[in-house]
Amino acid sequence: MDNRFHELSFLNFKKVDIGLRETELIKEYARLKFNGGFVLATIECCDSEKFRDYLHSMYSVTDAMHLNMRSAADDVKDFMYYLLDSQSLAGLDIYLGNGEAFLSVDPPYDELEGFRKLAFAELSENEMKKRLLQTAIKSSIYDDWKVSAEQTSKMINDFSSRMFTEDSHFRTLYFQQWGNFMIGLFEGYIFIDINRGQITFFAVDDYD
């Protein structure tokens, strides 16, 4: 029986610019020296209505604020597996800073059952901002973050408001790398704006 997300592999996608590289958070982050580099890219489907239907069909997560972080269901992992399997998406040239194809899934994760073994966590809005703050302050192996925690929090709020409007229905995933090229101090986020049918990837890989 076909997986209900299988058709994602055949949909057409495009990159879109929603202004994230102009935010103070990313401008400051880009000043850091990384071995592996970072990726920041937003995509949307050319058939936006159908894609939004798929996004809405993923099992929802409770809005209880005390559940700041919880393991994502296989349903969410299946969605991501077939999304990453899209040949259209593979052609968008989304790279880590070191030139590696970020969306390429390597063994043992290139089969669905293997992909389901990856660690994916759902984050509440508060937990998302907390972890982004930790990611920024951790900086890179060669550089220290030079902005105060208070100012960084303001930068993160601006970054978040660029991705999501006040009435957005959104989900955030924190995930384990699916590519063998990511060998270092990896941090990965997937921001999903369900209303607008957009997905933003933000990840960094660093190593000594």
Side-chain angles (χ1 to χ4, degrees):
M1 182 177 177
D2 282 345
N3 189 287
R4 67 192 182 93
F5 294 115
H6 184 259
E7 191 183 357
L8 285 170
S9 299
F10 305 101
L11 297 181
N12 291 316
F13 294 90
K14 60 184 178 181
K15 285 193 291 188
V16 292
D17 183 359
I18 59 174
L20 294 177
R21 289 193 177 273
E22 285 69 56
T23 62
E24 292 302 315
L25 176 70
I26 298 304
K27 286 194 287 188
E28 190 67 32
Y29 201 69
R31 293 189 179 102
L32 300 174
K33 296 181 179 68
F34 296 101
N35 274 327
F38 74 95
V39 62
L40 178 66
T42 301
I43 63 162
E44 65 182 20
C45 185
C46 298
D47 189 340
S48 57
E49 184 175 353
K50 178 175 287 188
F51 191 55
R52 282 196 297 270
D53 287 343
Y54 276 116
L55 291 171
H56 278 289
S57 76
M58 284 192 293
Y59 298 140
S60 60
V61 176
T62 179
D63 291 328
M65 288 306 296
H66 66 281
L67 293 176
N68 282 331
M69 180 174 178
R70 58 177 293 177
S71 180
D74 280 349
D75 187 62
V76 174
K77 297 179 184 180
D78 289 5
F79 174 91
M80 287 305 308
Y81 175 81
Y82 286 106
L83 174 67
L84 294 170
D85 191 51
S86 165
Q87 291 302 304
S88 168
L89 200 61
L92 294 184
D93 297 333
I94 296 175
Y95 299 108
L96 271 167
N98 56 8
E100 299 288 352
F102 173 68
L103 301 180
S104 176
V105 180
D106 295 323
Y109 310 121
D110 55 344
E111 298 292 338
L112 181 58
E113 289 308 312
F115 194 86
R116 284 176 173 172
K117 294 177 182 178
L118 287 169
F120 278 76
E122 299 251 9
L123 305 182
S124 69
E125 182 177 5
N126 286 341
E127 184 67 18
M128 171 191 75
K129 292 179 178 180
K130 173 184 173 183
R131 286 186 171 269
L132 281 174
L133 178 64
Q134 292 171 347
T135 297
I137 289 176
K138 185 168 69 174
S139 62
S140 72
I141 287 175
Y142 300 113
D143 274 336
D144 293 328
W145 185 252
K146 300 176 177 64
V147 182
S148 69
E150 181 180 5
Q151 185 61 31
T152 304
S153 293
K154 291 178 181 178
M155 291 177 173
I156 289 169
N157 286 335
D158 177 57
F159 178 79
S160 178
S161 67
R162 290 287 186 107
M163 287 191 296
F164 311 122
T165 61
E166 288 186 4
D167 60 348
S168 285
H169 178 196
F170 66 90
R171 298 171 75 167
T172 300
L173 302 175
Y174 185 78
F175 68 98
Q176 177 188 353
Q177 61 267 34
W178 50 64
N180 289 334
F181 54 82
M182 300 176 189
I183 60 175
L185 305 174
F186 181 80
E187 300 267 355
Y189 300 87
I190 300 168
F191 306 101
I192 304 172
D193 185 326
I194 295 175
N195 292 358
R196 290 191 288 189
Q198 294 178 340
I199 293 182
T200 297
F201 300 98
F202 175 49
V204 59
D205 190 41
D206 209 9
Y207 52 90
D208 55 15

